[in-house]
């Protein structure tokens, strides 16, 4: 309800509609109402526009409340009764009643619908609609509007003198309670005291609870239906819940939650109310005119004629908008072939069942033109059904737009009056889904009160008034997953440097080598110098490096061992043999020490990667402590030893220079290679990113296609079940029919026959598919082919009496076989047994002939007259005696015979 109207709408208004028999129902209702309900009552009846009505004076004697006839602009007040005058239509606006002269039209007036619609839009949950006795269907659409806006609706029960109007409203599913007028009055008194429709002051005093108290109710709904309404706008959800609390006469939300736990049916009833099914045929006709004149033409421009136009109607309810779009497409196409498919989705399975059937009461098609009714509907008992060609182009399925994957390759999405019920965070989730589902240049149609908000990067506005948007290029990330997704089967990340089972052979070979050399401490490394296995105590030579954990040999080597280890490993790689470095100095916790390093290649076994064994042989010479080798020590050394030391150091220096030069060259080469590799990796990364985006798009398309296939499969299953039911009904009807019936096609070939026909006409299963005119049916009907041709060509019924070979009489009736689209595609032959009647007729004819023969042979003049003294028959003696011509006597009054000699008053 519009908040601005709340200040005006400070009391409930009850609209009461009736037509034939309405005076008695009005009187019973008003007599049972007290004068202090706090409600205003507006009575709308079908009145003669010419003669002055005395309804106001009559009703004033039935209630202590003031009864007033409505004048234009009259302010409405509580505890008063307002009666519509004749010849006008009534609406309400800003707490004032407005009268408009009724327009002349061939369509019967619907003043109740007009006022109820205005009332629902004006007062929302403070509106109450009551339909009492009356003929036709006026009031049904009005009650629907009141209920859609949160109001309460009533209809009179079987006590109605004329049940047309109440029955129409009940059949349309827009009535909350069905009662007698006096019981409706008692309910109105109870409603007047409730917080749901009470004035704002009373509502504040009797407020049932805050948002937290609604959570148990929503949890029970989610548990019972699988739908979470927590993302819907709280004000709307809470009003709908309180409406059910009121209708179930519960004192609090706690009591109502207990009722939900006890009665699953009430969970479904609340679920139906929360879904807020608002729809009608060609709602906002100017929108459909705009689609036909602009959108459809643009969508079909430069399009493959065989490419199917795809439309998705979100929140389709009972399907009126889906079929309205289908009719618009047929009208737009004219004689052209236009393949299209419309997907209608909703959460309400009950509404979807009605949408699939395509059957609607006449009251719900009031705004559909006669031309459209003739072209697109088939009239049935009490309503109309959408033609088969439209139903086959429309697919209906249960779909949660928030949690289920969207459709794909859609040309037009119609989502009218759904987003207004969602919180902004849900709207921001749904709109990117629509962007993904639409094709390039596809259209999005929203309701009059909806817009795209801050997501202008996804859609561009094409018609502000009609709320029509077009998809912008680009992609919007849609984070959804497959329903029923298989568990992740990717292999778990392997621990760093863990050898697979096939790489255990080098370790066993290393064990053999170590045993041969007394197992000094060492490590097994791979080609990247990563340690695969520690052997023995290596803590003196290796230690964990600070920072991120690593098993790289050079990063774990102690100070002074990095360069020698790199050198000996590199040499071992090049020479593919054993390499040794003696008396290598390194620093440990005990100062400088010496170690011999030996690298042995491990044979390449079982196709494993090449590995090397690095051994550390401890030198037993005492370590040289830093700072103690002074001049005195050097002077004490022999000259030869000193020269050897210098030579050794010089050699190490030369090796170091060579090594550094090699490292520089390798570094330059590696740098160039890394640069090239970096460019390749960047290119590869871009390609991988592109592939990843394509895979993501493909995944989403596959998911959407899967959802669409599931939807189509569901539709096919529903149609299959419906076909099976119809087939079962037909089979049972055929088996139970006690009349011989044969159904033939347009080519007169037998399609189906009843068991009685098999017995009477000597038919068998082998006769199906054969022309009935070529079969020996055991009856004499030489003009059967002519009768069948006449029924198929003209659609008229043909019948004649026939006899079988035993002399038994039958009435042969040939009906045209009509489809749901009123096409004639064959004929139905029925044999009605009239043997008893025919024989009785023949007996009566014989008796009559016998009596007439007696009359004719009687010598005395005899005359038979009817009740009006007209001559029925006379014998020959009469005609001869009185010289009267038989042709002049039969059928004439007796006093008119001859020259008037029988004109005797006493006679």
């Amino acid at each position: 309800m519009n908040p601005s109207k709340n200040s005006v709408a400070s009391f409930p208004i009850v609209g009461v509609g009736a037509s034939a028999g309405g005076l008695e129902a009005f009187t019973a209702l008003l007599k049972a109402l007290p004068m202090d309900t706090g409600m205003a009552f507006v009575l709308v009846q079908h009145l003669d526009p010419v003669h002055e009505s005395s309804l106001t004076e009559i009703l004033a004697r039935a209630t202590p409340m003031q009864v007033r006839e409505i004048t234009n602009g009259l302010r409405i007040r509580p505890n008063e009764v307002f009666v519509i005058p004749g010849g006008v239509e009534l609406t309400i606006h800003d707490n004032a009643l407005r009268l408009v002269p009724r327009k002349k039209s061939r369509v019967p007036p619907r003043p109740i619908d007009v006022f109820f619609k205005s009332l629902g839009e004006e007062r929302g949950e403070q509106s109450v609609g009551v339909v009492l006795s009356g003929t036709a269907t006026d009031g049904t659409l009005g009650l629907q509007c009141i209920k859609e806006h949160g109001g309460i609706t009533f209809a009179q029960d079987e006590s109605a003198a004329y049940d047309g109007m109440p029955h129409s409203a009940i059949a349309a599913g827009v009535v909350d309670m069905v009662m007698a007028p006096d019981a409706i009055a008692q309910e109105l008194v109870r409603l007047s005291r409730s917080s749901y429709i009470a004035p704002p002051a009373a509502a504040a005093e009797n407020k049932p609870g805050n948002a937290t108290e609604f959570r148990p109710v929503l949890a029970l709904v989610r548990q019972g239906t699988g739908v979470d309404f927590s993302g819907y706008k709280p004000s709307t959800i809470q009003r709908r819940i309180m409406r059910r609390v009121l209708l179930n006469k519960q004192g609090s939300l706690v009591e109502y939650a207990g009722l939900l736990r006890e009665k699953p049916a009430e969970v479904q009833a609340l679920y139906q109310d929360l879904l807020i099914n608002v729809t009608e045929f060609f709602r906002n006709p100017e929108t459909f005119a705009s689609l036909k004149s602009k959108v459809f033409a643009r969508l079909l421009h430069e399009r493959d004629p065989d490419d199917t136009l795809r439309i998705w109607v979100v929140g389709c309810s009972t399907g009126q908008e889906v079929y309205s779009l289908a009719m618009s497409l047929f009208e737009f196409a004219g004689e052209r072939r236009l393949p299209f498919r419309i997907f209608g989705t909703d959460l309400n399975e009950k509404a979807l069942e009605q949408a699939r059937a395509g059957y609607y009461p006449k009251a719900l098609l009031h705004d559909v033109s006669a031309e459209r009714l003739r072209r697109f509907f088939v009239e049935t008992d009490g309503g109309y059904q959408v033609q088969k060609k439209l139903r086959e182009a429309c697919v209906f399925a249960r779909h949660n737009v928030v949690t289920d994957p969207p459709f794909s390759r859609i040309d037009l999405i119609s989502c009218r009056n759904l987003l207004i019920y969602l919180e902004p965070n849900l709207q921001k989730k749904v709109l990117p889904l629509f962007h993904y589902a639409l094709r390039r240049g596809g259209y999005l149609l929203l309701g009059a009160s909806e817009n795209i908000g801050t997501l202008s990067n996804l859609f561009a506005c094409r018609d502000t008034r009609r709320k029509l948007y077009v998809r912008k290029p680009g992609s919007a990330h849609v984070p959804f997953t497959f329903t029923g997704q298989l568990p992740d089967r990717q292999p778990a990340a392997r621990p760093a440097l863990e050898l697979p089972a096939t790489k255990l052979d080098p370790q066993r070979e290393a064990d053999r080598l170590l045993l041969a050399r007394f197992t000094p401490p060492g490590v097994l490394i791979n080609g990247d110098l990563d340690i695969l296995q520690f052997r023995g105590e290596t803590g003196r030579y290796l230690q964990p490096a600070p920072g991120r954990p690593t098993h790289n040999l050079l990063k774990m080597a102690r100070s002074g061992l990095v360069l020698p280890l790199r050198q000996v490993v590199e040499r071992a790689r090049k020479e593919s043999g054993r390499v040794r470095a003696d008396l290598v100095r390194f620093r440990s916790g005990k100062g400088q020490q010496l170690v011999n390093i030996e690298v042995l290649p491990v044979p390449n076994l079982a196709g494993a990667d090449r590995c090397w064994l690095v051994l550390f042989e401890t030198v037993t010479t005492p370590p040289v402590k830093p700072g103690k080798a002074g001049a005195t020590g050097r002077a004490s050394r022999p000259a030869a030893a000193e020269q050897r030391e210098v030579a050794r150091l010089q050699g190490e220096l030369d090796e170091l220079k060579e090594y550094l030069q090699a490292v520089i060259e390798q570094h330059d080469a590696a740098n160039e290679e890394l640069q090239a590799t970096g460019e390749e990796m960047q290119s590869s990364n871009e390609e991988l990113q592109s592939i990843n985006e394509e895979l993501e798009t493909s995944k989403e398309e596959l998911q959407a296609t899967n959802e669409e296939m599931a939807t189509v499969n569901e539709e096919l299953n529903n149609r299959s079940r419906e076909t099976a039911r119809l087939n079962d009904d037909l089979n049972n009807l055929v088996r139970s029919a006690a009349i011989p019936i044969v159904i033939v096609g347009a080519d007169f070939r037998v399609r189906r026959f009843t068991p009685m026909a098999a017995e009477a006409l000597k038919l068998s299963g082998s006769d199906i598919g054969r022309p009935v005119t070529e079969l020996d049916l055991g009856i004499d009907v030489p003009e059967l082919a002519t009768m069948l041709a006449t029924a198929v060509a003209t659609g008229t019924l043909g019948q004649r009496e026939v006899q079988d070979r035993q002399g038994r009489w039958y009435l042969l009736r040939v009906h045209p076989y009509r489809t749901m689209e009123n096409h004639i595609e064959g004929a139905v032959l029925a044999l009605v047994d009239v043997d008893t009647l025919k024989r009785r007729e023949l007996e009566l004819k014989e008796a009559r002939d016998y009596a007439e023969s007696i009359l004719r042979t009687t010598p005395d003049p005899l005359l038979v007259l009817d009740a009006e003294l007209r001559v029925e028959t006379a014998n020959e003696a009469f005609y001869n005696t009185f010289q009267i011509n038989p042709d002049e006597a039969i059928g004439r009054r007796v006093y008119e015979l001859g020259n008037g000699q029988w004109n005797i008053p006493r006679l």
Side-chain angles (χ1 to χ4, degrees):
M1 186 175 64
N2 191 338
S4 65
K5 296 176 183 177
N6 246 342
S7 58
V8 176
S10 58
F11 55 89
I13 298 178
V14 181
V16 186
S19 65
L23 178 59
E24 179 183 355
F26 280 153
T27 303
L29 176 68
L30 293 178
K31 281 185 178 180
L33 286 171
M35 63 178 301
D36 58 348
T37 60
M39 296 177 165
F41 299 87
V42 181
L43 308 187
V44 183
Q45 190 175 19
H46 294 174
L47 300 175
D48 192 326
V50 179
H51 298 88
E52 184 176 352
S53 171
S54 58
L55 182 62
T56 303
E57 292 77 9
I58 296 174
L59 295 179
R61 296 192 289 268
T63 176
M65 291 184 286
Q66 182 178 0
V67 181
R68 307 171 63 180
E69 186 174 79
I70 299 171
T71 57
N72 190 33
L74 179 65
R75 305 291 294 181
I76 193 166
R77 295 182 296 185
N79 300 321
E80 292 188 7
V81 179
F82 301 85
V83 181
I84 187 174
V88 297
E89 288 186 346
L90 174 66
T91 60
I92 182 172
H93 181 66
D94 289 341
N95 212 37
L97 297 170
R98 311 290 181 180
L99 296 179
V100 179
R102 186 185 303 166
K103 298 179 181 179
K104 293 183 179 181
S105 174
R106 290 177 297 178
V107 180
R110 305 177 70 89
I112 302 174
D113 277 337
V114 172
F115 177 70
F116 280 8
K117 284 184 178 181
S118 174
L119 176 62
E121 294 170 356
E122 173 79 7
R123 291 300 180 96
E125 61 263 25
Q126 285 194 319
S127 61
V128 179
V130 181
V131 169
L132 300 177
S133 173
T135 59
T137 62
D138 193 13
T140 300
L141 293 177
L143 289 186
Q144 182 183 27
C145 182
I146 289 176
K147 189 170 182 179
E148 288 172 355
H149 287 82
I152 309 296
T153 57
F154 295 87
Q156 188 174 356
D157 58 9
E158 63 276 1
S159 63
Y162 298 89
D163 64 353
M165 283 169 40
H167 180 74
S168 172
I170 296 169
V174 297
V175 177
D176 291 318
M177 288 179 271
V178 180
M179 300 176 171
D182 54 347
I184 294 175
Q186 296 175 8
E187 278 298 311
L188 291 175
V189 173
R190 184 181 70 85
L191 293 177
S192 67
R193 301 189 179 98
S194 72
S195 60
Y196 181 71
I197 63 173
E205 294 175 2
N206 301 303
K207 188 176 181 181
N210 53 36
T212 305
E213 297 186 25
F214 288 89
R215 291 177 184 172
V217 175
L218 293 178
L220 290 170
V221 174
R222 182 172 63 251
Q223 179 181 350
T225 65
V227 179
D228 184 6
F229 286 95
S230 60
Y232 286 58
K233 289 188 176 178
S235 57
T236 302
I237 297 300
Q238 292 173 16
R239 287 200 303 268
R240 292 283 166 168
I241 294 176
M242 291 309 302
R243 183 178 182 277
R244 297 302 306 176
V245 172
L246 178 64
L247 292 176
N248 284 277
K249 302 179 183 179
Q250 300 296 301
S252 65
L253 285 170
V254 176
E255 293 181 9
Y256 184 63
L259 177 66
L260 292 175
R261 295 186 185 94
E262 296 173 0
K263 295 184 178 180
E266 178 57 26
V267 175
Q268 294 300 321
L270 174 59
Y271 177 62
Q272 297 292 329
D273 263 17
L274 293 177
L275 291 177
I276 314 176
N277 297 313
V278 181
T279 186
E280 61 185 78
F281 283 101
F282 294 98
R283 181 177 52 181
N284 306 123
E286 64 278 1
T287 298
F288 289 90
S290 179
L291 290 175
K292 289 167 62 176
S293 62
K294 300 177 182 178
V295 175
F296 293 161
R298 292 177 184 174
L299 289 175
L300 297 175
H301 180 63
E302 296 182 357
R303 190 186 188 97
D304 188 344
D306 294 329
D307 191 5
T308 301
L309 186 70
R310 294 160 62 86
I311 298 176
W312 181 15
V313 179
V314 184
C316 68
S317 186
T318 47
Q320 285 94 318
E321 182 163 355
V322 175
Y323 291 125
S324 298
L325 285 169
M327 286 184 271
S328 298
L329 282 169
F330 272 110
E331 292 170 348
F332 172 80
E335 300 298 327
R336 294 178 298 170
R337 177 180 176 273
L338 177 58
F340 68 88
R341 176 61 59 91
I342 304 180
F343 301 95
T345 62
D346 200 276
L347 285 172
N348 192 338
E349 186 62 44
K350 183 178 179 181
L352 291 174
E353 290 178 1
Q354 181 179 352
R356 293 187 186 104
Y359 174 82
Y360 300 96
K362 290 183 178 179
L364 300 184
L365 287 97
H366 174 69
D367 295 329
V368 179
S369 66
E371 170 62 22
R372 282 173 173 156
L373 284 176
R374 182 194 62 79
R375 182 178 177 185
F376 300 113
F377 291 85
V378 177
E379 187 172 5
T380 60
D381 295 336
Y384 290 87
Q385 186 175 29
V386 179
Q387 285 189 357
K388 185 179 180 181
K389 63 179 180 181
L390 262 73
R391 299 202 311 271
E392 289 180 344
C394 303
V395 176
F396 296 94
R398 189 179 188 275
H399 181 274
N400 190 334
V401 71
V402 177
T403 60
D404 294 337
F407 296 92
S408 63
R409 306 185 307 280
I410 299 297
D411 296 287
L412 170 65
I413 294 178
S414 176
C415 180
R416 300 208 281 167
N417 297 334
L418 171 64
L419 298 181
I420 57 175
Y421 300 113
L422 304 183
E423 289 280 64
N425 60 330
L426 278 188
Q427 294 182 15
K428 292 179 180 179
K429 181 178 181 181
V430 170
L431 287 171
L433 291 173
F434 292 162
H435 184 274
Y436 162 77
L438 287 170
R439 288 181 177 178
R440 183 185 300 272
Y443 287 88
L444 172 64
L445 180 64
L446 299 180
S449 302
E450 299 169 330
N451 54 65
I452 60 172
T454 60
L455 299 178
S456 57
N457 61 313
L458 301 181
F459 299 96
C461 184
R462 283 292 178 267
D463 190 336
T464 305
R465 185 177 178 185
R466 311 281 184 256
K467 293 302 174 72
L468 184 65
Y469 299 86
V470 67
R471 181 188 188 272
K472 283 186 176 181
S475 61
H477 181 60
V478 184
F480 59 82
T481 58
F482 288 101
T483 53
Q485 183 178 5
L486 294 174
D488 186 9
R489 297 187 181 274
Q490 294 182 350
R494 191 173 60 189
L497 308 177
E498 180 184 356
L499 281 175
T502 58
K503 295 189 178 183
L504 294 179
D505 289 336
Q507 296 183 14
R508 288 195 291 269
E509 183 64 19
D511 291 338
R512 186 186 65 79
L513 295 173
L514 288 174
L515 290 173
R517 300 188 58 80
F518 307 105
T519 62
V523 291
L524 181 66
I525 63 173
N526 61 13
D528 296 327
L529 303 186
D530 289 328
I531 300 174
L532 304 180
Q533 187 182 43
F534 294 91
R535 308 185 69 84
E537 296 292 336
T538 59
R540 178 182 294 182
Y541 315 106
L542 305 175
Q543 65 178 357
R548 187 175 182 181
T550 179
H551 284 74
N552 187 270
L553 175 64
L554 299 182
K555 291 182 179 181
M556 295 187 65
R558 289 187 179 273
S559 178
L561 291 179
V562 176
L563 186 58
L565 283 172
R566 186 190 295 273
Q567 289 175 348
V568 294
V569 172
E570 190 66 27
R571 285 171 56 192
R573 281 179 174 178
K574 292 180 180 180
E575 299 173 6
S576 298
R578 171 187 170 192
V579 178
R580 182 179 177 88
D582 294 326
L583 301 176
V584 177
R585 293 179 184 272
F586 70 98
R587 185 183 297 276
S588 68
K590 298 180 180 180
Q592 291 189 354
Q593 298 185 20
L594 298 176
V595 64
N596 297 329
I597 302 175
E598 188 172 1
V599 179
L600 299 102
V602 178
N604 190 2
L605 302 176
D609 296 335
R610 189 65 181 270
C611 300
W612 288 266
L613 186 63
V614 182
L615 302 177
F616 301 96
E617 183 180 343
T618 304
V619 178
T620 57
T621 303
V624 181
K625 294 184 179 180
K628 299 298 184 181
T632 304
R634 288 195 298 270
S636 64
R637 290 181 181 178
E642 193 172 287
Q643 291 177 359
R644 287 195 302 270
E645 181 68 16
V646 172
R648 186 184 65 79
L649 292 176
Q650 185 65 39
E652 289 183 3
L653 182 59
D654 293 339
E655 290 178 359
L656 179 59
K657 288 179 180 180
E658 293 177 1
Y659 174 75
L660 289 176
Q661 183 64 31
V663 169
I664 292 172
E665 293 175 356
Q666 292 178 2
H667 180 269
D668 293 339
N671 190 36
E672 294 176 359
E673 185 177 351
L674 285 174
Q675 187 174 359
T677 304
E679 294 175 355
E680 293 178 1
M681 290 182 64
Q682 184 175 359
S683 176
S684 300
N685 184 49
E686 294 174 355
E687 293 180 3
L688 288 173
Q689 186 174 358
S690 176
I691 293 173
N692 185 50
E693 292 176 357
E694 293 177 2
L695 289 174
E696 183 70 20
T697 302
S698 300
K699 172 187 174 183
E700 294 172 354
E701 289 179 356
L702 284 172
Q703 187 168 353
T705 303
N706 181 57
E707 178 69 19
E708 183 178 330
M709 290 178 64
T711 300
V712 174
N713 186 54
E714 180 182 354
E715 180 72 11
L716 290 175
N717 287 336
N718 287 323
R719 292 184 180 179
S720 177
R721 287 193 295 269
E722 181 181 355
T723 303
R725 284 197 303 269
L726 293 175
N727 213 20
D728 291 341
D729 293 344
L730 179 60
N731 288 332
N732 281 278
L733 180 62
V734 166
R735 284 195 297 268
S736 60
I739 300 175
I741 298 175
V742 181
I743 300 175
V744 299
D747 55 358
F748 305 159
R749 295 182 182 274
V750 177
R751 289 167 52 183
R752 189 187 291 265
F753 53 83
T754 63
M756 287 292 294
E759 180 180 347
L761 302 177
K762 304 299 184 289
L763 295 175
S764 64
S766 61
D767 293 326
I768 294 178
R770 297 175 60 190
V772 68
T773 54
E774 298 179 3
L775 299 178
D776 183 9
L777 301 178
I779 56 175
D780 184 19
V781 194
E783 63 274 22
L784 178 60
T786 303
M787 295 178 66
L788 290 172
T790 302
V792 172
T794 64
T796 57
L797 169 68
Q799 61 182 18
R800 65 159 297 168
E801 293 177 346
V802 297
Q803 273 185 301
D804 61 11
R805 291 171 182 166
Q806 288 73 36
R808 193 171 187 83
W809 286 93
Y810 294 92
L811 178 64
L812 174 64
R813 301 171 64 92
V814 180
H815 298 262
Y817 180 96
R818 297 181 183 273
T819 65
M820 292 294 293
E821 283 70 35
N822 204 27
H823 296 164
I824 299 176
E825 294 184 356
V828 180
L829 288 76
L831 280 177
V832 181
D833 189 348
V834 295
D835 186 70
T836 302
L837 295 176
K838 186 67 176 178
R839 295 188 185 280
R840 182 69 56 84
E841 179 186 349
L842 294 175
E843 291 174 358
L844 291 175
K845 185 174 182 304
E846 291 177 358
R848 185 184 64 188
D849 293 343
Y850 178 73
E852 288 180 351
S853 64
I854 294 176
L855 289 175
R856 281 194 297 270
T857 57
T858 300
D860 296 328
L862 184 65
L863 183 67
V864 179
L865 306 177
D866 62 9
E868 296 181 357
L869 301 184
R870 295 182 185 276
V871 177
E872 287 190 350
T873 186
N875 62 0
E876 296 294 334
F878 177 83
Y879 293 129
N880 295 331
T881 302
F882 298 103
Q883 299 297 312
I884 296 176
N885 189 344
D887 295 336
E888 298 177 355
I890 300 301
R892 298 184 64 185
R893 289 181 171 84
V894 65
Y895 47 78
E896 296 175 350
L897 298 180
N899 55 5
Q901 65 268 34
W902 298 98
N903 189 7
I904 304 172
R906 183 178 179 184
L907 176 63

